[in-house]
Amino acid sequence: MEARYAALRRAVEQVPAVDAHAHNLVELESAFPFLRCFSEAEGDALALAPHSLSFKRSLRDIAALYNCDASLEKVEEFRKAEGFKSIASKCFQAAKISVILIDDGIVFDKMLDLESHKEFAPQIGRVLRIEWLAETIINNESFSGSSWTLDSFIENYVAKLKPIALFFICSDLCTNILNLFLTVSNQIVALKSIAAYRSGLDINPNVSKMDAEDGLRKELSGQRPFRITNKNLIDYLFTCSLEIAVSLNLPVQIHAGFGDKDLDLRTCNPLHLRAVLEDERFAKCQIVLLHASYPFSKEASYLASVYSQVYLDFGLAIPKLSVQGMTSSLKELLELAPIKKVMFSTDGYAFPETYYLGAKRARDVVYRVLSAACEDGDLSIQEAMEAVEDIFRRNALHLYKLNVANGSINHETPIAGDSICLSSVEQDVLLVRIIWNDASGQHRCRVVPAGRFYEVTRNKGVGLTFASMGMTSFCDGPADGTNLTGVGEIRLKPDMSTLLRLPWSRREEMVIADMQITPGEAWEYCPRNALRKVTKVLLDEFNVKMKAGFENEFYLRRKLVSDGHEQWVPYDNTNYCSTSAFDGATSILQEVYSFLKDSNIVVEQLHAESGKGQFEVALKYILCTLAADNLIYAREIIKSVARKHGLLATFLPKPDLNDIGSGSHVHLSLWENDQNVFMGSDEYNFYGMSKKGEQFLAGVYHHLPSILAFTAPHPNSYDRIQPNTWSGAYLCWGKENREAPLRTACPPGVDLHLVSNFEIKSFDGCANPHLGLAAIVAAGIDGLRRGLKLPEPIESNPADYASKLKRLPQNLQEAVESLSADKILHELIGDKLVTAAIAIRKAEIDHYAKNPGAFNDLIHRY
């Protein structure tokens, strides 16, 4: 799975993150043992216990970053040698954090002021903790309990923050706080409340001023330093602060879920906030629930889904929980909450390592959750990559109105750090190949520098002339009758789910492209879209998916120069499944296997075939749309490995008319809800097939002459499809009959009375796999719609029944004539695309009939 999601992994690792909630760094002596302090932090119920999973994992992560042994002593030794600034720079660079929003309501000794943090992150914002603000004012003033009023508290509260009073301080609480925030709003990006720690989240938004004043009197009669715990006073300050936040359009962060040991978890469930959320005064106040509200992540997700003003932040839960706990918590947040409402933060504090651990684990967990969502079909790869940008930066930029270039309110300016990200990409990858397979089955590519690809091309694509889908195997120009010319342009839009590092050229990547006429609108001639379109019909009408597994037969040739003439001769002269043939090519085949494995393409078998220098690599069956993409990559890998060894690999069906041909046999099965429904059952069993299986195969049988125009699309293809060559020359089917073009298969492990799949023999290396499979699916749909029946199977060599059986097309002309008359394939695949394919086939028929010697050049094209 990792290779399939390489683009997603890269996006997660490279995106410059906005840390939406953290605390001040502390400049400690370099010898200070970070992890030991962290594991022994007094009063911190969430400190990393020395034997906890989180502690052990964090110690390993930090030791890996510092390149030292994973022990407290060695980490401490490294910190002492490096010093604080070096350690901080290393941690923040590895974390790729471009913005930090700091809640400075926790006071540490030797802590850095906000401005000092810019040495480690380009932009810093302040989150103002409202309870800390109130407590700071009172603890620095000499109040007498008898003369105290709530109004005088507010006056002192405001006056303390603004040394020169330029405005009239009245007795209205909200007006005064509004003025207060206006004086410092150039630094503040959000407010924050820790009401959950003090009296819980069951906030009364209608608490009276009288009750609040009475609460304050009770608080002042207690010990100093003053610490607000009275619920009425907390609720009053909380409610008034929300009104101010609405006035200033500032978000409010709210601690929810777990925290230090003085917190009563029972009162920290965010569902307690319902009265506040449904109060009309606060309908426009954007509220951010911190810490994934753990263990109330599902409840938080629900609130974000039903209340437009609720957002979610998963800092602290990541990295404090176990890997499974972090993964589960983030999954629960995303079960209902819109992705646009979920944000990253580290909840880092004091130690640079806490920022690094938060960012590292967040990236790992987000990748884990989003790749699983892609695997489950909840997201496409492109949607997941968009989600990465949203979660790590865009949501926070929008919510907190950030412009990280200059600190202004405009959040539309590109984020600082993108250039760093792109630069790092180009240090790793130089070029990206954008690949498409045309209607004549040839692999083509445009190559874009990696920096431009990740900055522009991956989203906007590259231009391509209409003529590109009308080209033949002999001429880079559109064939007559395709209705495609050099007038008009499409966009080759990379499908980032197919992004793959080239195993044979590690500083290059390749990606398969879709063809779009306008952004998001598929071009009618796009082969990948044709396959997606018919598979959607199959799923919508019959709740069935088709899986496919290809056998890749190919010849290896070595160059021989004699008398100044270049020839490509067989790599060896061995026979079928020869051990010596495999020995001779083992270094090549091992490399092919390794590269396919690195590319997440599963190989089931490799062996020498019957031809001189001929080999086969069989791939495991997967969903047919992915199988078509993988077949393109498998051919690229095999050809490139051969080229690396000074050889030529060709998939041409018949490179030597006196030797065995090469096919690309495909095995096909039908699946419904993860169950193979091609296979028969007690209710219905037609020669091992289910009713759906029989009808689908009957459709393929009925349309097989037309299908050949896509699966055997070249004049050379028909030199291979001959009787007694295991290539399927007659229109028939049979169970385990390798001379039949359609063979039902009963592999090991399947009951002998059943079959698991069927094989089409007449599929070769000149075929565009997406178009070939699209034709098969379209035919199967017709069989299902009409309830077609199969004839009796042929259980011996079809050539023995030559007088009774119909020959399949003996040349491309006959296949084209069948396709031209096939209204079903025109309708389901698309008339324009089928018309263009027919025109290309006709041009090739004419050209190779007039130029038989031109066949020799085709080993370089296929």
Side-chain angles (χ1 to χ4, degrees):
M1 189 173 78
E2 185 73 20
R4 181 184 171 201
Y5 300 120
L8 178 59
R9 168 61 78 178
R10 179 180 296 283
V12 169
E13 290 176 348
Q14 296 292 342
V15 61
V18 175
D19 189 349
H21 180 256
H23 306 275
N24 298 65
L25 286 168
V26 178
E27 189 164 6
L28 298 166
E29 296 298 325
S30 61
F32 195 91
F34 154 66
L35 278 173
R36 181 170 293 144
C37 170
F38 208 40
S39 65
E40 297 171 357
E42 184 178 351
D44 185 357
L46 293 175
L48 297 177
H51 301 293
S52 71
L53 297 176
S54 298
F55 174 84
K56 294 177 184 294
R57 182 187 70 229
S58 298
L59 180 59
R60 289 195 303 272
D61 288 343
I62 293 166
L65 177 66
Y66 293 163
N67 194 25
C68 67
D69 292 340
S71 70
L72 286 173
E73 293 72 23
K74 291 298 182 181
V75 169
E76 179 180 350
E77 185 180 307
F78 184 88
R79 295 183 97 248
K80 182 177 180 180
E82 289 290 310
F84 171 77
K85 288 191 176 180
S86 175
I87 289 292
S89 296
K90 184 182 290 288
C91 287
F92 278 94
Q93 184 177 3
K96 295 185 178 70
I97 293 173
S98 60
V99 184
I100 312 173
L101 306 186
I102 294 179
D103 163 18
D104 53 5
I106 301 178
V107 179
F108 303 106
D109 290 335
K110 298 184 180 181
M111 76 180 196
L112 302 184
D113 60 24
L114 293 183
E115 196 67 23
S116 298
H117 288 75
K118 289 186 177 179
E119 188 172 349
F120 310 114
Q123 186 65 32
I124 307 298
R126 184 185 181 196
V127 177
L128 183 65
R129 188 186 292 207
I130 60 176
E131 293 86 0
W132 170 87
L133 185 63
E135 291 166 353
T136 300
I137 296 301
I138 294 177
N139 285 325
N140 289 336
E141 294 292 339
S142 298
F143 288 106
S144 62
S146 59
S147 62
W148 163 248
T149 67
L150 188 61
D151 288 340
S152 62
F153 160 64
I154 296 302
E155 290 177 9
N156 280 274
Y157 183 67
V158 175
K160 184 67 178 178
L161 278 167
K162 188 170 184 185
I164 303 174
L166 299 177
F167 53 89
F168 175 75
I169 300 175
C170 68
S171 60
D172 182 83
L173 175 67
C174 294
T175 302
N176 280 286
I177 295 181
L178 174 59
N179 288 331
L180 163 68
F181 282 110
L182 286 173
T183 66
V184 294
S185 61
N186 61 321
Q187 295 178 327
I188 295 170
V189 297
L191 309 184
K192 179 185 174 181
S193 172
I194 56 167
Y197 273 94
R198 306 299 176 81
S199 56
L201 294 180
D202 188 14
I203 306 291
N204 176 10
N206 298 308
V207 63
S208 70
K209 184 176 180 180
M210 182 182 299
D211 288 339
E213 188 161 10
D214 180 63
L216 186 54
R217 286 198 188 97
K218 291 177 181 178
E219 295 280 19
L220 288 171
S221 65
Q223 296 180 344
R224 298 292 181 93
F226 174 74
R227 183 174 184 268
I228 300 177
T229 59
N230 182 272
K231 183 176 184 334
N232 286 335
L233 180 57
I234 290 172
D235 290 359
Y236 191 72
L237 286 172
F238 182 96
T239 303
C240 292
S241 296
L242 290 190
E243 292 181 352
I244 297 306
V246 172
S247 301
L248 292 176
N249 196 20
L250 285 174
V252 178
Q253 297 182 347
I254 298 178
H255 182 113
F258 70 153
D260 295 348
K261 66 182 181 182
D262 61 344
L263 175 151
D264 185 346
L265 192 59
R266 294 169 298 180
T267 66
C268 296
N269 188 324
L271 293 179
H272 288 306
L273 290 168
R274 183 181 175 190
V276 171
L277 297 175
E278 297 194 350
D279 193 308
E280 291 184 0
R281 292 173 294 169
F282 313 130
K284 294 184 179 180
C285 183
Q286 296 164 313
I287 290 175
V288 184
L289 302 177
L290 298 175
H291 309 153
S293 299
Y294 183 84
F296 309 112
S297 302
K298 286 185 176 180
E299 289 85 342
S301 180
Y302 166 74
L303 291 177
S305 72
V306 297
Y307 293 103
S308 62
Q309 71 267 45
V310 175
Y311 295 76
L312 308 175
D313 182 306
F314 55 76
L316 188 63
I318 300 174
K320 286 293 181 73
L321 304 178
S322 69
V323 172
Q324 289 301 322
M326 292 186 289
T327 303
S328 175
S329 182
L330 183 56
K331 280 183 175 179
E332 288 179 352
L333 289 185
L334 293 172
E335 280 182 0
L336 288 173
I339 290 173
K340 293 287 186 184
K341 288 187 167 191
V342 178
M343 285 169 289
F344 155 79
S345 74
T346 64
D347 208 71
Y349 74 94
F351 311 101
E353 292 90 342
T354 60
Y355 289 84
Y356 167 68
L357 290 172
K360 173 178 171 51
R361 284 298 161 184
R363 294 179 191 276
D364 290 344
V365 171
V366 167
Y367 170 76
R368 181 185 287 244
V369 170
L370 293 182
S371 59
C374 294
E375 199 70 12
D376 293 339
D378 289 334
L379 294 174
S380 68
I381 300 293
Q382 190 62 43
E383 288 168 339
M385 293 178 67
E386 289 294 312
V388 169
E389 295 279 338
D390 288 336
I391 290 169
F392 280 103
R393 70 181 190 104
R394 279 200 295 245
N395 294 345
L397 288 176
H398 178 77
L399 182 67
Y400 298 106
K401 304 166 192 68
L402 299 171
N403 174 346
V404 295
N406 57 26
S408 75
I409 297 300
N410 178 8
H411 59 265
E412 295 180 356
T413 299
I415 186 166
D418 275 354
S419 59
I420 297 173
C421 173
L422 294 174
S423 174
S424 65
V425 166
E426 289 205 305
Q427 290 175 13
D428 185 35
V429 177
L430 281 179
L431 303 171
V432 182
R433 303 180 186 184
I434 304 173
I435 293 176
W436 75 98
N437 194 279
D438 68 16
S440 66
Q442 296 181 89
H443 296 201
R444 301 179 186 265
C445 73
R446 288 280 188 89
V447 183
V448 179
R452 178 168 178 78
F453 179 84
Y454 282 99
E455 186 176 11
V456 177
T457 309
R458 67 170 175 172
N459 293 320
K460 296 185 177 180
V462 294
L464 188 71
T465 175
F466 280 7
S468 294
M469 276 300 288
M471 294 178 180
T472 65
S473 63
F474 64 85
C475 178
D476 285 340
D480 291 341
T482 59
N483 299 317
L484 297 168
T485 70
V487 178
E489 183 170 275
I490 60 160
R491 304 300 292 179
L492 277 180
K493 177 68 167 55
D495 177 350
M496 296 301 288
S497 70
T498 68
L499 186 72
L500 183 68
R501 182 72 64 91
L502 267 62
W504 64 91
S505 180
R506 299 302 296 178
R507 297 197 69 189
E508 291 185 63
E509 292 175 328
M510 58 182 173
V511 62
I512 298 176
D514 287 316
M515 296 175 168
Q516 297 183 351
I517 191 67
T518 60
E521 180 187 353
W523 192 35
E524 293 169 294
Y525 295 86
C526 176
R528 296 183 85 229
N529 183 67
L531 179 55
R532 277 196 295 263
K533 185 171 64 173
V534 293
T535 55
K536 185 177 186 302
V537 173
L538 181 64
L539 182 62
D540 290 347
E541 292 190 19
F542 304 102
N543 195 33
V544 166
K545 298 179 180 179
M546 186 177 80
K547 293 187 178 183
F550 283 95
E551 300 174 11
N552 287 273
E553 294 177 342
F554 58 93
Y555 275 93
L556 289 178
R557 295 282 190 256
R558 56 187 177 87
K559 184 159 61 174
L560 177 67
V561 178
S562 177
D563 296 330
H565 296 289
E566 179 183 286
Q567 289 181 291
W568 289 92
V569 299
Y571 179 70
D572 64 22
N573 292 296
T574 56
N575 54 359
Y576 174 70
C577 282
S578 164
T579 55
S580 60
F582 199 90
D583 273 342
T586 188
S587 61
I588 300 167
L589 296 174
Q590 283 182 20
E591 199 165 344
V592 165
Y593 170 75
S594 296
F595 286 173
L596 288 169
K597 185 178 180 181
D598 288 347
S599 305
N600 201 38
I601 299 174
V602 180
V603 175
E604 292 202 326
Q605 290 188 49
L606 308 88
H607 62 264
E609 264 294 349
S610 298
K612 295 180 177 64
Q614 188 185 33
F615 295 88
E616 177 180 309
V617 177
L619 307 180
K620 182 178 175 61
Y621 66 88
I622 54 174
L623 198 64
C624 66
T625 48
L626 299 178
D629 291 342
N630 281 357
L631 184 62
I632 291 172
Y633 279 164
R635 292 173 182 171
E636 286 290 305
I637 288 169
I638 292 168
K639 287 180 180 180
S640 297
V641 171
R643 192 178 300 115
K644 176 182 174 182
H645 288 267
L647 304 174
L648 181 146
T650 181
F651 294 86
L652 190 67
K654 196 78 169 178
D656 184 345
L657 297 181
N658 296 314
D659 208 340
I660 298 297
S662 289
S664 189
H665 310 164
V666 61
H667 292 257
L668 303 161
S669 53
L670 303 178
W671 294 76
E672 181 178 344
N673 301 325
D674 294 324
Q675 297 294 319
N676 186 330
V677 294
F678 183 78
M679 195 179 298
S681 65
D682 292 339
E683 289 77 25
Y684 193 95
N685 190 324
F686 179 78
Y687 291 96
M689 286 175 277
S690 66
K691 188 172 185 179
K692 280 185 177 178
E694 181 196 1
Q695 291 175 350
F696 188 94
L697 183 56
V700 175
Y701 172 90
H702 180 79
H703 291 276
L704 191 56
S706 304
I707 292 172
L708 259 61
F710 289 107
T711 61
H714 200 277
N716 184 256
S717 300
Y718 296 84
D719 292 323
R720 180 183 79 92
I721 303 176
Q722 299 295 325
N724 301 309
T725 60
W726 293 11
S727 58
Y730 294 90
L731 181 57
C732 63
W733 75 278
K735 184 176 181 179
E736 297 295 8
N737 188 340
R738 283 173 167 77
E739 276 292 345
L742 300 175
R743 171 177 77 99
T744 58
C746 179
V750 175
D751 189 298
L752 292 176
H753 299 291
L754 302 175
V755 292
S756 64
N757 61 277
F758 70 97
E759 177 188 21
I760 297 183
K761 292 282 189 180
S762 45
F763 205 122
D764 65 44
C766 290
N768 178 306
H770 295 92
L771 293 180
L773 291 176
I776 293 166
V777 173
I781 290 170
D782 186 46
L784 289 167
R785 283 176 173 175
R786 294 198 285 156
L788 296 179
K789 297 284 188 180
L790 282 168
E792 291 297 306
I794 298 299
E795 297 180 346
S796 59
N797 189 340
D800 296 340
Y801 301 88
S803 60
K804 298 180 180 179
L805 292 177
K806 181 182 179 181
R807 272 293 302 266
L808 282 174
Q810 298 185 59
N811 54 57
L812 182 57
Q813 180 63 42
E814 291 180 9
V816 167
E817 290 172 358
S818 292
L819 178 60
S820 297
D822 197 319
K823 294 180 180 179
I824 299 298
L825 265 57
H826 277 259
E827 174 192 337
L828 288 172
I829 297 173
D831 185 66
K832 290 183 178 180
L833 179 53
V834 173
T835 297
I838 288 172
I840 291 168
R841 308 293 183 261
K842 288 181 176 179
E844 296 194 320
I845 292 166
D846 181 65
H847 176 80
Y848 291 105
K850 294 176 180 177
N851 303 279
F855 280 115
N856 295 328
D857 295 331
L858 292 176
I859 59 171
H860 301 282
R861 297 197 174 216
Y862 295 100

